[in-house]
Every structure is written in C-alpha cells, then in structure tokens.
Amino acid sequence: MAAEKRLMVVVDGTTAMGPYWKSILSDYLEKIIRNISGQPSANQDASAGAAVYLGLVQYNSHGLDNTGSLTRPSPWTRNVDGFLEGLSALHFSGGGGPNEAAIAGGLAEALVMFPKPTPTGTGTETETDQVQDHNARERHCILVAASNPVLFRTAVQIPIISNGQFSSGTQTRWTLADAQDVAKLYAECSVSLSVISPKQFPKLREIYNAGRNYPESEGTVSSFKNVKYPHFPVLISNKFSEARAALDHSHPVIKTEYNVFLSSS
C-alpha cells in the first residue's frame, strides 16, 4: 500500500485576506494541491501513488467584533476538485485594527486534526513501532496569512507530543502559546510548515523559521516569487518537495535565496 500523505491549509479568515485570496488560490495553492495529489488538471483522475488527504482550518481575529469559534476546521477529504471548490468559496470577515488574527489557534487546530497513531494491540509490532511507523508518514501544512501576527500568548488546544512524535490516541491538552510557540511543535513532530502571504510581515518569517524541521546549519532557504506578485513572501519548507516542484515548474517564477537565523527563544 502506498504511503499516506496529508496536506493541511490554514487560512486567515479576516477581511485582510479577501482582496488577495483569488490570486493566492490560483497561482500558488491550486498548483501545490494538484501536484501533491497527482492530479495536474481539473476533472482528471489522480495518478497511482500515495493516498493524499487534504484538510482546511480557517481562523479569524481575537477582536470583540467576532463571535463564535476563532477557528473553523473542515474534515479531511481526498476529493481534489471538491476541496478546491470549497477553498474558492471561502468567506472573509472581521479582523482589522490592533486585534491579532488567531494564527496560534489555527496552527494548533491543524495539529490536533492530524490523525494520531492508534495501536491495534495485535500482531508482532510493539506500540512504539506502530507510533514510529505512523509518524513517518508525510505531513505538511501551509499557513496563508494576511494579518500581522502580533505574538502574544493565548490558550490553545494542542495534541500530546512525546519524544518528538505524536502520542497515540486522541487526547489533547490546553496551554498558553503564541504562533511561534505552536510552530516549534511542527518542527518537533516533523510536520513541514510553509508560509504564503500577500504582505511583508517580519513576524511571519519568524513563525516560518520556528517551524523549520531541519538543522540551522542548513541556513539557506528558497523564497519563491511570482513575477506577477513580487512582494508576496512565499516560504516553502525544504521538506515539502511537491510544493517546491509545483512552484519551480510554474511560469514565470523567480526563486531567490536568503539566510535564516533561528531565534534562540
């Protein structure tokens, strides 16, 4: 059986994203999603290979003008065209002013949604073997943000992580964390984290750096710049080969390099 792959898209649901969403979806996300799914165009069957699951979390603002949950998760699906249709129909509201968009909550919700190992209690494999096998599967996340992520700690729900891996079962715990804290958990449990934004927010690059799951010695990272949107920071994890290939093959794209310095905090 082919190895399973999962891609979670975490999207800023505030009005700040609205003017840019159509361009981000068509010029970046659709290319990446179709490439990882082996389905290069609409109404075309996916090629044989890994079972690919797609998920979505949309987050909003901590502002008082927003009601209800700050995050809205959607169930996993293997329907590429249906998933893209859902992305194209997203609604953006709220946010603005000094209020921070709930990036930490969105990233935490995505981690909770990734399936955790469930030991069967049968066979010759130990529970540790089953957990390690489960955690070896590819897991990727793309954060699409248009609001300035002012980093302050809020209560978020996160999965149980032990020795750098998702623990078995569905238990979670609450903790105080900002978006950078949550991004470090992505690095800890080997979920690749990429960032796409229509705006140059230094804090988004710090979140991306915190989520890097490879050594600091690998200090050069590719930033993909579409010539139509040269100001869009597009930071793709070195561990997400399908996304990098999709943007490498898109025309026209300029790939630049910059040095990464991880925060010591």
Side-chain angles (χ1 to χ4, degrees), residues 34-205:
R34 291 199 182 281
N35 197 44
I36 191 176
S37 302
Q39 184 181 340
S41 61
N43 302 315
Q44 186 171 358
D45 291 337
S47 61
V52 178
Y53 293 83
L54 305 168
L56 169 69
V57 172
Q58 190 175 23
Y59 63 88
N60 212 286
S61 168
H62 289 287
L64 297 177
D65 56 331
N66 296 292
T67 59
S69 176
L70 294 177
T71 61
R72 294 188 294 277
S74 298
W76 292 100
T77 181
R78 296 189 62 189
N79 184 339
V80 176
D81 290 331
F83 184 72
L84 289 169
E85 288 176 7
L87 290 181
S88 68
L90 289 182
H91 176 68
F92 302 95
S93 64
N99 300 312
E100 182 207 11
I103 294 178
L107 290 175
E109 183 74 51
L111 277 183
V112 169
M113 284 183 63
F114 279 105
K116 309 306 182 292
T118 307
T120 61
T122 61
T124 59
E125 282 190 315
T126 66
E127 178 174 339
T128 299
D129 291 333
Q130 292 170 335
V131 169
Q132 290 177 342
D133 176 69
H134 179 91
N135 285 297
R137 301 171 187 175
E138 284 191 36
R139 297 184 297 272
H140 306 286
C141 179
I142 301 176
L143 169 65
V144 188
S147 302
N148 192 14
V150 179
L151 297 179
F152 64 87
R153 286 180 167 85
T154 58
V156 296
Q157 192 174 20
I158 60 173
I160 304 298
I161 298 172
S162 177
N163 298 321
Q165 296 177 332
F166 285 128
S167 297
S168 60
T170 59
Q171 288 186 329
T172 61
R173 67 181 180 89
W174 287 90
T175 188
L176 289 176
D178 60 29
Q180 200 166 329
D181 294 329
V182 179
K184 291 176 182 177
L185 298 179
Y186 279 72
E188 183 178 349
C189 57
S190 298
V191 179
S192 83
L193 180 62
S194 301
V195 176
I196 298 175
S197 176
K199 300 180 181 180
Q200 296 281 352
F201 290 132
K203 290 296 183 183
L204 286 178
R205 184 158 291 181

Side-chain angles (χ1 to χ4, degrees), residues 180 184 261-265:
Q180 200 166 329
K184 291 176 182 177
F261 300 96
L262 291 180
S263 170
S264 60
S265 61

